[in-house]
Amino acid sequence: MTYSAAENRYETMPYRRVGRSGLKLPAISLGLWHNFGDDKPFEVQRAILRRAFDLGVTHFDLANNYGPPYGSAETNFGRHFKDDFKPYRDELVISSKAGYDMWPGPYGNFGSRKYLLASLDQSLERMGLDYVDIFYSHRPDPETPMEETMGALDHAVRSGKALYAGISSYTPEQTLEAARILAEMGTPLLIHQPSYSMLNRWTENGTPNLYEALDQAGAGSIAFSPLAQGMLTNRYLKGIPADSRAAQHKSLGESSLTEDKLARVRGLNAIAEGRGQSLAQMAIAWILREQPKGSPVTSALVGASSVAQLEDTLSAINNLAFATEELTAIDEFAVESDINLWAQK
């Protein structure tokens, strides 16, 4: 059936400015990390994407190696874009990244100019796009000079193949250095994509911490894995289901679900119930919470395996306010839990 977007798609979703740029993102964005490879029925993917856009989710986030297999999420998204979203291209923010293992040999990984720009060309071809809105360095490269990696992002923007430059999983110090180099080239750093959740709070640590560094650079942030790879849902309150991400060892192993961590999850769930929210909804709302200087998070990046799960998660925007007592109670359980798989070793 021909898709026609809902006329009321902009009536409920709040949009937030990305740093000091002119771009705004929805408070909740959709990531295609899982559920959009060849292991997921195409019609299920289509239903999720259509419903997301109908509910005001204008940002779809991808990377070159999303799948499985690598590249298939972008290829599948390209089909969805051609079938459903091409008329709405100027209403969408589409992002991709390069930095992790993608193809064999020395040129298919990390942050060289050769890898990043070749990957961007491949991503555009897979998705059938002339440009992406944001192109990210997916992770820092300890062996490639920062000037080379940032130079590749600058070239991507100047060539018209990307509108904005972003980074992911950079430390505060690396973030400031990346922003400085880009600024000298005339291409501002738009956004940082860190992992961040109630059980993964590394972004709040350090002097400056990541958000202070981003404020200094004038950049925004979009938090990935805000549900701690599924830990902050009702999936694991009574054990490990056979069809869960942990049981299948998809970025969350059973060893991560210690009794101590599950006790924290249950404590947080009790607070969520008191707020009239699911645990997942409260986890998203907490990510987006207002702080004394405003919310440092522009958007929460979520995944979805079904339309029902998507709708449940997006309902978080209906209650983003927290009483001081609630935040104090949450902090008893929301402590660093050593689950940051993307920490630099």
Side-chain angles (χ1 to χ4, degrees), residues 284-316:
I284 298 296
W286 183 87
I287 287 286
L288 298 170
R289 71 195 184 282
E290 289 295 328
Q291 298 186 35
K293 294 183 179 180
S295 176
V297 177
T298 310
S299 184
L301 184 60
V302 305
S305 60
S306 67
V307 169
Q309 184 186 54
L310 173 75
E311 291 176 341
D312 179 75
T313 302
L314 293 183
S315 294

Side-chain angles (χ1 to χ4, degrees), residues 62-90:
L62 298 104
N64 57 355
N65 63 348
Y66 287 176
Y70 289 172
S72 60
E74 289 185 330
T75 299
N76 290 331
F77 177 77
R79 293 175 59 194
H80 294 298
F81 176 79
K82 180 180 178 182
D83 292 346
D84 292 338
F85 298 103
K86 195 169 185 178
Y88 305 102
R89 177 63 183 99
D90 293 335

Side-chain angles (χ1 to χ4, degrees), residues 98-100 106-117 136-153 170:
Y100 283 93
Y107 316 123
N109 206 345
F110 276 111
S112 72
R113 181 183 182 91
K114 181 172 177 61
Y115 170 48
L116 293 178
L117 296 180
Y136 288 90
S137 166
H138 207 164
R139 62 170 169 172
D141 183 343
E143 297 182 351
T144 297
M146 185 83 76
E147 288 81 2
E148 179 175 341
T149 301
M150 294 306 108
L153 296 184
Y170 280 53

Side-chain angles (χ1 to χ4, degrees), residues 236-256:
Y236 303 104
L237 295 176
K238 298 180 180 179
I240 303 176
D243 63 344
S244 67
R245 190 181 298 184
Q248 298 173 26
H249 299 282
K250 292 184 176 180
S251 74
L252 177 65
E254 294 183 35
S255 60
S256 300

Side-chain angles (χ1 to χ4, degrees), residues 50-342:
R50 287 180 173 184
R51 187 58 175 152
F53 189 54
D54 284 346
L55 292 173
V57 176
T58 55
H59 178 29
F60 298 144
D61 178 79
L62 298 104
N64 57 355
N65 63 348
Y66 287 176
Y70 289 172
S72 60
E74 289 185 330
T75 299
N76 290 331
F77 177 77
R79 293 175 59 194
H80 294 298
F81 176 79
K82 180 180 178 182
D83 292 346
D84 292 338
F85 298 103
K86 195 169 185 178
Y88 305 102
R89 177 63 183 99
D90 293 335
E91 296 183 43
L92 292 172
V93 173
I94 302 170
S95 60
S96 191
K97 318 176 199 71
Y100 283 93
D101 174 57
M102 181 60 189
W103 62 79
Y107 316 123
N109 206 345
F110 276 111
S112 72
R113 181 183 182 91
K114 181 172 177 61
Y115 170 48
L116 293 178
L117 296 180
S119 179
L120 176 55
D121 284 342
Q122 292 177 20
S123 292
L124 293 175
E125 183 175 359
R126 282 191 289 266
M127 293 188 284
L129 300 176
D130 296 324
Y131 68 94
V132 291
D133 295 271
I134 307 170
F135 183 53
Y136 288 90
S137 166
H138 207 164
R139 62 170 169 172
D141 183 343
E143 297 182 351
T144 297
M146 185 83 76
E147 288 81 2
E148 179 175 341
T149 301
M150 294 306 108
L153 296 184
D154 173 72
H155 179 83
V157 172
R158 291 182 183 278
S159 68
K161 295 178 180 179
L163 300 186
Y164 298 97
I167 57 176
S168 180
S169 298
Y170 280 53
T171 66
E173 294 76 17
Q174 291 169 331
T175 296
L176 289 172
E177 179 69 359
R180 181 191 64 78
I181 294 169
L182 283 169
E184 290 178 354
M185 294 178 176
T187 296
L189 174 65
L190 174 80
I191 195 167
H192 187 298
Q193 187 175 131
S195 60
Y196 181 48
S197 73
M198 290 193 290
L199 300 178
N200 178 19
R201 302 181 66 168
W202 71 272
T203 55
E204 301 173 3
N205 301 327
T207 305
N209 67 32
L210 181 62
Y211 298 120
E212 291 167 341
L214 291 173
D215 182 62
Q216 182 177 330
S221 71
I222 178 169
F224 78 87
S225 203
L227 301 183
Q229 296 92 261
M231 288 178 65
L232 294 170
T233 69
N234 60 7
R235 294 281 279 164
Y236 303 104
L237 295 176
K238 298 180 180 179
I240 303 176
D243 63 344
S244 67
R245 190 181 298 184
Q248 298 173 26
H249 299 282
K250 292 184 176 180
S251 74
L252 177 65
E254 294 183 35
S255 60
S256 300
L257 296 169
T258 63
E259 183 53 40
D260 178 60
K261 291 173 186 174
L262 290 176
R264 296 176 201 165
V265 170
R266 295 186 190 106
L268 292 168
N269 185 65
I271 298 171
E273 289 178 345
R275 286 171 51 83
Q277 289 182 310
S278 68
L279 176 55
Q281 289 168 349
M282 185 182 78
I284 298 296
W286 183 87
I287 287 286
L288 298 170
R289 71 195 184 282
E290 289 295 328
Q291 298 186 35
K293 294 183 179 180
S295 176
V297 177
T298 310
S299 184
L301 184 60
V302 305
S305 60
S306 67
V307 169
Q309 184 186 54
L310 173 75
E311 291 176 341
D312 179 75
T313 302
L314 293 183
S315 294
I317 63 175
N318 297 329
N319 185 9
L320 298 179
F322 287 85
T324 302
E325 311 83 68
E326 288 178 318
L327 292 174
T328 300
I330 286 172
D331 279 341
E332 291 185 29
F333 304 101
V335 298
E336 183 59 44
S337 301
D338 193 29
I339 61 169
N340 184 7
L341 305 178
W342 306 270

